[in-house]
Amino acid sequence: MGKGYKLKEVVYTLSPFEHKIMTTFWSQFAYKTKKRISENWVNTLTLVCPVAGTYMYANSAVEKEKHHHRM
């Protein structure tokens, strides 16, 4: 019939005593974010402008509604 296959399992874990796991990510985070925004500023604006506009419109509508109910 069929042969039995012995499977080997490799488990990778992080030590709780290791503190340098994410240091390169956090040390380069500001630089990489600035670089990505400056290289793709048109795409950034097409995302940020509608979101900011919607947020400002919603806050304005809420304030108008509050003002309307005070009178």
Side-chain angles (χ1 to χ4, degrees):
M1 289 262 166
K3 289 185 178 180
Y5 292 100
K6 191 171 186 178
L7 298 175
K8 294 183 181 180
E9 182 177 341
V10 178
V11 178
Y12 295 97
T13 61
L14 297 174
S15 169
F17 302 106
E18 183 66 41
H19 297 285
K20 296 182 180 182
I21 296 168
M22 297 287 286
T23 55
T24 55
F25 173 75
W26 291 114
S27 66
Q28 296 175 355
F29 182 75
Y31 169 73
K32 286 185 177 183
T33 303
K34 180 184 168 192
K35 183 178 176 185
R36 287 181 182 151
I37 290 173
S38 65
E39 288 178 355
N40 301 315
W41 64 274
V42 174
N43 294 338
T44 303
L45 287 178
T46 57
L47 172 70
V48 170
C49 288
V51 171
T54 304
Y55 177 77
M56 290 169 38
Y57 174 75
N59 280 340
S60 172
V62 168
E63 289 301 319
K64 284 182 184 177
E65 188 71 23
K66 285 181 185 177
H67 184 68
H68 176 71
H69 287 291
R70 286 184 196 156
M71 294 184 165

